[in-house]
Amino acid sequence: MSNPLEEARQNIDKVNEEIVQSVDKRMSEVLRIIDFKEEHNLEVRDEEREEKVMKQFADRFEELGYPRTRGRQLGRVLIDLAVDLEREELDKRRGDE
Ligand SMILES: C=C(O[C@@H]1C=C(C(=O)O)C=C[C@H]1O)C(=O)O
C-alpha cells in the first residue's frame, strides 16, 4: 500500500489528465470561434467576453470557498492560452495562403 503522499500524488496525476482533457475540449470550441471570426473579420480578443468568463470563474470559486481573485486568475490563464493559440492558428493559416 502506498503512503499518503504517493497516493495523493497519484490522484493529482489523474486530475491533471482530466484538466488537460477539459482544456482540449475548451480549445476545440475556441477553434470553432476562430473560424467564425476569420469569416466575419472579427478581432481575436473580445474583452467584454473575457470579463464575463473571469466572472464565471470568480463566482464558482466563491461558491466553493476560494478567493474570487484566484478564480479570475485561473480564468485569465485559460483565456491567455486560448488567445495565444488562436493567434498562432491564424498566423499559420495566413502563412499557408
Ligand atoms: C474564445 C474567444 O476568443 C477569445 C478567448 C476567450 C476565452 O478563452 O474565453 C474569450 C474572449 C476572446 O478574447 C471568444 O471570443 O469567445
Side-chain angles (χ1 to χ4, degrees):
M1 189 58 193
S2 55
N3 65 38
L5 180 81
E6 273 312 307
E7 196 184 315
R9 284 182 178 166
Q10 279 173 16
N11 290 336
I12 287 173
D13 288 346
K14 284 186 204 141
V15 175
N16 288 345
E17 174 55 25
E18 287 167 14
I19 291 171
V20 170
Q21 285 178 19
S22 292
V23 169
D24 183 44
K25 241 195 251 177
R26 190 176 199 279
M27 283 313 303
S28 300
E29 298 306 322
V30 170
L31 287 177
R32 287 178 57 198
I33 289 177
I34 297 179
D35 293 339
F36 182 87
K37 286 181 176 173
E38 206 176 19
E39 266 170 45
H40 296 84
N41 241 341
L42 296 171
E43 293 285 334
V44 168
R45 292 195 68 177
D46 178 338
E47 285 177 16
E48 206 178 307
R49 170 65 185 163
E50 290 183 11
E51 194 47 51
K52 281 189 187 147
V53 172
M54 287 190 291
K55 189 180 175 302
Q56 284 172 3
F57 278 97
D59 290 347
R60 284 295 290 133
F61 262 50
E62 190 172 38
E63 280 167 16
L64 295 172
Y66 299 111
R68 291 185 66 79
T69 50
R70 298 302 167 205
R72 285 183 68 81
Q73 186 180 19
L74 177 59
R76 185 78 265 160
V77 166
L78 290 170
I79 292 166
D80 287 347
L81 176 74
V83 168
D84 284 350
L85 287 171
E86 268 184 88
R87 290 213 167 109
E88 282 161 19
E89 178 60 27
L90 285 173
D91 285 350
K92 203 165 74 191
R93 288 184 192 179
R94 282 168 190 152
D96 289 346
E97 272 170 17

